[in-house]
């Protein structure tokens, strides 16, 4: 059995998905160690999974909170602070992982696509590694907009020029991060590279995205595997949520773990739902205080809480208002709940564009006025085609394989060190 390192950005959604994969591999007898700055240990809730901290001098205990605060509001000038944080984290990991891998006697690496250091260091040490896309895949194609871009799929000349121009702008913005990748690739004696898409595994690339929900891709590598959501198996049924008595229709809203502080947006949604006589349930993930919760209830929200079982909430609701994080979108698709996507940052504009393009929801600006939000809610609830269009995506999600299939791929790539072709799994 192997000892595998997991390298991922210190974000809940990424650690949550990779922890589920780790649990599946643990059940097969492997040893798993997550390696990150010390604060990231709190993102794991399974004591069987190992954790090793690095960067203790530059990332002392308590320092992650400031980074997450900047990630939660990445617009304007703060975007450059976020890019600086990403570059600094990759730089630290590239410096410290080689010694840690050797000390822990790591046999292979599970590398989140959003952190280049995992693949770079594994390649430098000649360790087998797999790449995992917890968010939208970073694989580039000229005919597909970058994951962080809000563009709909199109193949006319104007669209293709827009995709290329936006890629050029993105690369200029990410120059600081690119320079870190290039510096360490050169220091490790690797081929030149400057982007995340150039740090992917040649053995196996695993994605939570399924083709039926993506834009039509033509150039994915033969080792690319769409396995669907990486989610821990349910070992026992969860107790029923003590839902309050709510009149129908019910609208569930969550903006994820980083965006639950957006009080003004929640307030506009509460006002829109009250005007449309809809029962709005808000899960703010700990981002609001008691006074703000009360204000939202006065504005029209039927129930405001910190956390709920999201799957149960989606099954209760007729509509899901979401920040368009990939995990949330896939869960809504599995439950057959149409979405109003209000993307904020990172790959959320790309996920929202796919929601709109496939006709399984609508997309709106988070700066929409109340009457505009009302219009979107009316359209979604009045047209059952949004729900019907989900059937093909649901069928693909059901047979994608999830953690078990991902674990099969990891074992072939890391234990046997072979290229895992998509047709072979």
């Amino acid at each position: 059995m192997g000892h595998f390192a997991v390298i991922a950005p210190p974000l809940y959604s990424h650690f949550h998905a990779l922890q589920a994969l780790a649990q599946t591999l643990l059940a097969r007898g492997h040893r798993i160690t997550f390696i990150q700055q010390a604060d990231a240990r709190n993102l794991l809730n399974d004591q069987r999974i190992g954790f090793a901290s690095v960067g203790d001098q530059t990332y002392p205990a308590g320092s992650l909170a400031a980074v997450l605060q900047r990630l939660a509001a990445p617009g304007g000038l703060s975007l450059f602070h976020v890019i600086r944080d990403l570059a600094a984290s990759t730089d630290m990991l590239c410096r410290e992982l080689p010694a840690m891998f050797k000390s822990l006697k790591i046999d292979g690496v599970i590398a989140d696509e959003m952190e280049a250091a995992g693949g770079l260091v594994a390649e430098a040490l000649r360790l087998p590694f797999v790449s995992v896309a917890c968010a939208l895949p970073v694989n580039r194609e000229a005919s597909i907009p970058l994951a962080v871009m809000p563009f709909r799929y199109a193949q006319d000349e104007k669209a293709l020029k827009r995709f290329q121009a936006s890629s050029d702008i993105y690369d200029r913005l990410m120059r600081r991060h690119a320079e870190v990748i290039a510096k360490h690739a050169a220091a490790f004696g690797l081929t030149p590279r400057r982007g995340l898409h150039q740090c992917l595994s040649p053995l196996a690339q695993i994605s939570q995205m399924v083709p039926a929900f993506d834009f039509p891709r033509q150039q994915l590598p033969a080792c690319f595997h769409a396995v669907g959501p990486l989610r821990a198996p349910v070992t026992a049924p969860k107790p029923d949520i003590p839902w309050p008595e709510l009149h129908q229709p019910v609208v569930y809203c969550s903006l994820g773990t980083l965006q639950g502080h957006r009080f003004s947006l929640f307030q506009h949604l509460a006002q829109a739902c009250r005007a449309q006589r809809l029962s709005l349930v808000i899960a703010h993930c700990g981002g609001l205080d008691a006074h703000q919760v009360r204000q939202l209830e006065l504005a029209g929200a039927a129930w405001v809480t910190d956390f709920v079982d999201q799957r149960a909430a989606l099954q209760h609701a007729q509509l899901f208002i979401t920040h368009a994080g990939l995990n949330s979108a896939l869960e809504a698709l599995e439950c057959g709940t149409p979405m109003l996507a209000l993307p904020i940052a990172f790959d959320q504009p790309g996920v929202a564009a796919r929601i709109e393009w496939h006709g399984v929801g609508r997309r709106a600006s988070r700066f929409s006025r109340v009457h505009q939000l009302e219009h979107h809610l009316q359209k979604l609830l009045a047209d059952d085609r949004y729900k019907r269009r989900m059937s093909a995506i649901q069928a693909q999600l059901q047979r994608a394989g999830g953690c078990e299939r991902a674990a099969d791929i990891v074992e072939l790539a890391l234990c046997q060190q072979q290229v895992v072709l998509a047709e072979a799994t």
Side-chain angles (χ1 to χ4, degrees):
M1 297 294 102
H3 184 190
F4 306 145
V6 177
I7 309 301
L11 299 172
Y12 173 79
S13 60
H14 291 250
F15 265 56
H16 184 69
L18 291 168
Q19 176 178 271
L21 175 56
Q23 289 167 329
T24 304
L25 291 165
L26 283 170
R28 299 183 181 194
H30 301 287
R31 181 183 172 195
I32 308 294
T33 300
F34 279 64
I35 305 175
Q36 245 301 347
Q37 58 181 278
D39 286 346
R41 183 190 300 270
N42 298 323
L43 299 173
L44 297 172
N45 58 17
D46 189 331
Q47 295 183 350
R48 299 173 302 160
I49 298 174
F51 183 87
S53 66
V54 289
D56 294 341
Q57 296 299 315
T58 50
Y59 294 93
S63 61
L64 180 58
V67 174
L68 295 179
Q69 188 174 14
R70 289 190 287 271
L71 281 170
L77 291 176
S78 65
L79 174 61
F80 293 98
H81 292 292
V82 169
I83 295 170
R84 180 195 63 193
D85 289 338
L86 296 174
S89 180
T90 297
D91 186 52
M92 179 274 290
L93 289 169
C94 284
R95 285 186 282 105
E96 302 218 9
L97 286 179
M100 183 60 73
F101 282 0
K102 292 174 183 176
S103 173
L104 294 173
K105 295 181 172 57
I106 294 299
D107 300 310
V109 179
I110 299 169
D112 190 302
E113 287 190 359
M114 296 307 297
E115 178 46 74
L120 286 173
V121 176
E123 192 173 346
L125 298 181
R126 293 182 171 81
L127 289 172
F129 73 101
V130 298
S131 301
V132 181
C134 295
L136 288 182
V138 300
N139 306 74
R140 291 198 183 187
E141 296 183 30
S143 61
I144 301 290
L146 293 187
V148 297
M149 297 300 170
F151 308 126
R152 288 172 60 96
Y153 178 76
Q155 292 299 283
D156 58 275
E157 184 178 356
K158 183 178 179 180
L160 295 177
K161 287 182 178 179
R162 183 188 304 120
F163 299 163
Q164 183 59 56
S166 65
S167 296
D168 293 341
I169 293 170
Y170 172 85
D171 287 338
R172 287 198 294 272
L173 287 172
M174 293 296 293
R175 184 175 61 185
R176 187 166 185 165
H177 191 235
E179 289 170 350
V180 169
I181 293 173
K183 177 185 73 173
H184 286 288
F188 292 149
L190 306 178
T191 56
R193 61 200 71 185
R194 294 181 59 85
L196 294 172
H197 64 293
Q198 296 170 322
C199 301
L200 303 179
S201 172
L203 298 179
Q205 299 171 22
I206 297 169
S207 173
Q208 294 195 106
M209 171 63 84
V210 292
F213 184 47
D214 203 353
F215 292 148
R217 290 181 178 267
Q218 305 297 326
Q219 298 173 20
L220 289 173
C223 64
F224 185 92
H225 304 266
V227 305
L230 297 173
R231 186 181 301 120
V234 178
T235 55
K238 294 183 179 180
D240 290 338
I241 296 177
W243 280 71
E245 291 294 328
L246 301 174
H247 68 76
Q248 299 292 323
V250 173
V251 176
Y252 167 59
C253 176
S254 172
L255 302 179
T257 54
L258 285 179
Q259 304 298 337
H261 63 283
R262 293 186 178 271
F263 171 75
S264 295
L265 177 53
F266 284 132
Q267 190 172 47
H268 291 160
L269 291 167
Q271 292 167 351
C273 286
R274 179 174 61 185
Q276 293 299 311
R277 299 181 59 81
L278 305 173
S279 292
L280 176 63
V281 175
I282 295 174
H284 59 78
C285 301
L288 303 178
D289 59 33
H291 175 71
Q292 291 172 318
V293 168
R294 179 59 181 154
Q295 290 300 112
L296 291 177
E297 292 170 343
L298 292 173
W303 183 28
V304 184
T305 185
D306 49 2
F307 295 96
V308 296
D309 179 337
Q310 180 152 289
R311 194 171 189 84
L314 289 168
Q315 291 169 343
H316 274 84
Q318 284 71 55
L319 177 63
F320 180 31
I321 301 175
T322 174
H323 62 309
L326 181 60
N327 287 300
S328 292
L330 292 176
E331 201 157 23
L333 290 165
E334 288 180 309
C335 293
T337 310
M339 290 168 275
L340 174 57
L342 305 173
I344 297 171
F346 313 115
D347 68 334
Q348 296 159 21
V351 174
R354 286 158 174 81
I355 289 170
E356 183 180 56
W357 191 72
H358 285 286
V360 295
R362 296 175 70 87
R363 171 175 53 170
S365 168
R366 69 179 189 274
F367 302 112
S368 298
R369 296 183 179 183
V370 173
H371 74 275
Q372 294 171 316
L373 294 170
E374 285 188 60
H375 172 75
H376 288 294
L377 295 171
Q378 289 173 347
K379 291 290 186 181
L380 284 163
L381 291 169
D383 191 343
D384 63 0
R385 287 178 296 179
Y386 291 105
K387 189 178 183 70
R388 292 205 307 267
R389 293 189 191 107
M390 295 183 180
S391 59
I393 303 173
Q394 288 175 317
Q396 204 166 82
L397 286 169
Q398 288 171 359
R399 63 175 184 266
C403 280
E404 291 294 337
R405 184 178 172 210
D408 291 341
I409 295 164
V410 168
E411 287 183 321
L412 286 171
L414 301 190
C415 296
Q416 300 183 27
Q417 300 191 29
Q418 68 179 60
V419 177
V420 187
L421 301 178
E423 295 78 13
T425 59

